[in-house]
Amino acid sequence: MTTYHEATSVTPLGEGKYAARLAEEYSFGEAVNGGYLMGVLLRAAVAESPHAHPLTTAASFLRPGQPGPAEIVVETRKTGRTAATSRVSLTQHGRPIVDAMVTTGTLDPASEPAYQGARPAMPPVEECRPSGHDTSGFVAQVDMRFDPAVMGWLDGEPSGRPEMRAYFRLADGADPDPYVLAIALDALVPVVANTGHTGWSPTVDLTWHLRALPAPGWLTVHGSGRLVRDGWNDEDVEIWDSAGTLVAQSRQLARTARARTRK
Amino acid sequence: MTTYHEATSVTPLGEGKYAARLAEEYSFGEAVNGGYLMGVLLRAAVAESPHAHPLTTAASFLRPGQPGPAEIVVETRKTGRTAATSRVSLTQHGRPIVDAMVTTGTLDPASEPAYQGARPAMPPVEECRPSGHDTSGFVAQVDMRFDPAVMGWLDGEPSGRPEMRAYFRLADGADPDPYVLAIALDALVPVVANTGHTGWSPTVDLTWHLRALPAPGWLTVHGSGRLVRDGWNDEDVEIWDSAGTLVAQSRQLARTARARTRK
């Protein structure tokens, strides 16, 4: 079994270039998971930076990634004492798969919030529902427990609101770090499953912010949306760690799967 | 007087390059407003695209822009039937000021929401408070009316929550369009003024999504934040139009101004 840490590792080739091998384990069918692609490219971006953490990542998903070799190019655009910014591109066979802009910095683990909003409600993990029992592909790499209140769509009874939430940890037992947050942010069932839009809902772009370094243990991943319109929907995700800290925030725009009417 | 439409105009130079002139009217002191910079670069990105509207914009603010000439380079990364994506860089004197990734598409004005979240509350415009009476610079180009509930910070009585909201229109009388939304998204007083952090709070990155074409009339601009920590804060902005439609969403990460304790 390839651990997530191994699956996101990159080899420096010099001049900001890195080699990677996209692992089949992090795929759904033919396409590699988008959060995993971010994890890989962020390993290269941070390796190239004087700072320790990927504070902001804005990613455009141009084409589906395939298992196999990939190249990452990191172009430094600004290096400062507090933060550094680069343009990063992950390519396969010369075709861009993901373009990103990454700002790195170094967070202080001892920092305390000057303000933190309310933590969204979540039932205890033992009342939540495992995502499935696939023994291959992406689903086998993660351990997710969904709030039953957002899983009625499986029985044709969606909640009517774009929402999805679950506990998350890696199946390989590794504690969360910023690269694990990258994959957790894009691991939920699309929030629009709860407005009756089930099926493939490809992410066009996703921007996320690392706000604090996560404590060991379960993450809780809260997804919601504000507008489903004209074939597009937003999906906002907050991740809270086991210590009750808001550790990551993301927003993506996705193509909305077609609505299915119940027969 | 230079209208906003004139101030954001760009001249094609061929091969994806455009010339612009950053107008002094859209500056605070020495630095050009970030939303205005987005408006300028989006004019170039859309001119280079087969699609009509800037659906997603992820911008990294690398250095303050100065009034005067600027160049924009648009590099197409993918062109599809539904959307096209480009990397865009606005430079001055060969130095990058703003890097962006832009996805364009064409929205259908007749589309109806399949789901729309609740519109945040806002008092009537006549109960709101003008931002000031500067006769030069950025403040003179916009007409903003702030909800009095979020303006106590001016008298040393911030609300305690990162929040800010106002009505917005251009002083030149032009109706809103996607480029006007770009400047409206970055026009509020920083939300952290209401957690006692007043002063300069530079935006590091800002991603926004155009969700619908705005109706004529006042825009309402709702800013909020979830976490102020370690010298960084998020700022989320929603813009609703006069017809009650959610037309734009943004999130930025900013350096938080130092907290001022009241004497």
Side-chain angles (χ1 to χ4, degrees), chain A:
Chain A
M1 182 178 161
T2 313
T3 66
Y4 182 67
H5 188 77
E6 288 161 355
T8 53
S9 68
V10 295
T11 307
L13 305 174
E15 297 184 331
K17 292 187 180 168
Y18 291 78
R21 177 164 286 277
L22 303 183
E24 198 159 6
E25 290 94 324
Y26 293 93
S27 304
F28 283 111
E30 295 290 287
V32 175
N33 174 264
Y36 166 61
L37 290 172
M38 290 196 295
V40 173
L41 72 82
L42 288 174
R43 292 283 296 272
V46 171
E48 200 66 20
S49 163
H51 299 293
H53 306 129
L55 298 188
T56 82
T57 305
S60 279
F61 294 91
L62 301 169
R63 295 170 184 86
Q66 312 291 331
E71 189 174 273
I72 300 132
V73 180
V74 182
E75 183 196 351
T76 300
R77 298 290 282 174
K78 183 190 171 185
T79 305
R81 202 166 48 86
T82 312
T85 300
S86 56
R87 292 207 290 204
V88 186
S89 189
L90 185 149
T91 62
Q92 289 191 295
H93 313 294
R95 285 155 59 88
I97 306 298
V98 186
D99 280 349
M101 295 188 310
V102 178
T103 295
T104 53
T106 302
L107 293 175
D108 175 3
S111 174
E112 291 291 333
Y115 173 89
Q116 184 170 266
R119 182 179 183 172
M122 189 74 180
V125 65
E126 57 273 17
E127 294 175 16
C128 291
R129 176 172 171 168
S131 47
H133 300 283
D134 286 25
T135 53
S136 68
F138 182 81
V139 175
Q141 311 308 315
V142 298
D143 182 359
M144 295 180 76
R145 312 290 174 91
F146 286 81
D147 180 350
V150 297
M151 295 304 272
W153 64 276
L154 279 173
D155 306 314
E157 291 174 1
S159 73
R161 294 177 299 280
E163 60 179 344
M164 193 59 63
R165 46 189 178 267
Y167 289 91
F168 177 100
R169 63 183 176 191
L170 286 178
D172 69 18
D175 278 324
D177 67 14
Y179 311 99
V180 176
L181 296 178
I183 194 167
L185 285 164
D186 198 35
L188 288 175
V189 175
V191 293
V192 289
N194 270 313
T195 55
H197 301 80
T198 55
W200 196 51
S201 181
T203 301
V204 172
D205 70 289
L206 187 153
T207 298
W208 74 277
H209 296 110
L210 174 68
R211 304 305 308 281
L213 300 175
W218 285 107
L219 300 170
T220 50
V221 185
H222 301 262
S224 61
R226 293 285 286 157
L227 182 64
V228 183
R229 181 186 174 125
D230 206 4
W232 300 95
N233 69 275
D234 58 302
E235 177 168 321
D236 243 69
V237 174
E238 284 193 350
I239 302 184
W240 292 70
D241 73 5
S242 62
T245 299
L246 174 57
V247 293
Q249 299 170 280
S250 72
R251 183 177 291 137
Q252 62 169 270
L253 192 73
R255 290 295 294 166
T256 308
R258 268 191 210 139
R260 294 206 184 154
T261 49
R262 198 176 172 197
K263 284 178 193 168

Side-chain angles (χ1 to χ4, degrees), chain A residues 62 77-78 89 99 108 111 114-115 117-118 205 207 209 211 226-230 234 236 238 251, chain B residues 62 77-78 89 99 108 111 114-115 117-118 205 207 209 211 226-230 234 236 238 249 251:
Chain A
L62 301 169
R77 298 290 282 174
K78 183 190 171 185
S89 189
D99 280 349
D108 175 3
S111 174
Y115 173 89
D205 70 289
T207 298
H209 296 110
R211 304 305 308 281
R226 293 285 286 157
L227 182 64
V228 183
R229 181 186 174 125
D230 206 4
D234 58 302
D236 243 69
E238 284 193 350
R251 183 177 291 137
Chain B
L62 301 169
R77 298 290 281 173
K78 183 189 170 185
S89 188
D99 280 349
D108 175 4
S111 174
Y115 172 89
D205 71 290
T207 298
H209 295 111
R211 305 304 310 278
R226 293 285 286 158
L227 183 63
V228 183
R229 181 186 174 124
D230 206 2
D234 58 300
D236 242 71
E238 286 193 351
Q249 296 170 282
R251 182 178 291 136

Side-chain angles (χ1 to χ4, degrees), chain B residues 52-64:
Chain B
H53 306 128
L55 298 189
T56 82
T57 305
S60 280
F61 295 90
L62 301 169
R63 296 171 183 85

